[in-house]
Amino acid sequence: MKRQHFLLIALCIGFFMFGAAQSAIVPVGGDAQSSAGSVSYTVGQIAVQTVTNSNGSISAAEGVQQPYEIQAVGVDDYPQIVLDAVVYPNPTENQARLQLNGFELTDDGLQAHLFDSRGRLLQVIPVTGDLTTFQIGQYATGTYFLELRDGKRTLKTFKVVRK
């Protein structure tokens, strides 16, 4: 009985010591595709292993990838409106981009209101096209919220991280 307990404890210790998942801190990444295939990549990884083909003409650095997500926050009151926020690099240092997909702008356009985590309005950004670039580098590091508005109603709210 003591031998079984010892074996169970040894297995648990081994699992916790060597069974941990991979992790790394990466500033940016993406996917690349061509007719020859596809690859996912990250930039700025600390722990990598370089692999080179037999003649040395192609090399790839293998490492750890972590997904990043750009998500709408809050209740989705208008599911028929398809809006994507593309923020890169994520987190961003100086500028961010808001890209509208599947939405026709009216003549008046839309407005994007940038708020800090305390709810203070920092800037109002006119959205007159499918791609709007705005500056965020003048603000402190933290999480900001970008509300896309049509007149007085909020269509979507996006989280933007400033590093």
Side-chain angles (χ1 to χ4, degrees), residues 17-134:
M17 288 180 66
F18 302 108
Q22 297 177 347
S23 65
I25 299 172
V26 295
V28 69
D31 297 312
Q33 297 179 359
S34 74
S35 59
S38 65
V39 65
S40 295
Y41 64 91
T42 55
V43 178
Q45 290 178 205
I46 297 170
V48 296
Q49 174 185 353
T50 303
V51 178
T52 307
N53 67 347
S54 60
N55 63 5
S57 63
I58 299 174
S59 66
E62 297 176 343
V64 181
Q65 290 192 37
Q66 297 294 324
Y68 67 92
E69 296 181 21
I70 302 168
Q71 54 186 281
V73 293
V75 178
D76 191 2
D77 292 332
Y78 307 99
Q80 71 277 12
I81 299 174
V82 179
L83 297 174
D84 294 326
V86 180
V87 180
Y88 53 91
N90 188 21
T92 184
E93 285 188 20
N94 294 318
Q95 64 175 297
R97 295 179 185 202
L98 172 68
Q99 182 174 346
L100 303 180
N101 294 323
F103 185 75
E104 275 191 44
L105 290 170
T106 62
D107 292 337
D108 297 335
L110 301 172
Q111 288 184 340
H113 294 218
L114 185 67
F115 294 92
D116 65 7
S117 59
R118 295 181 182 170
R120 291 181 295 192
L121 179 64
L122 301 175
Q123 62 177 297
V124 177
I125 305 148
V127 179
T128 56
D130 290 342
L131 183 63
T132 303
T133 302
F134 60 96

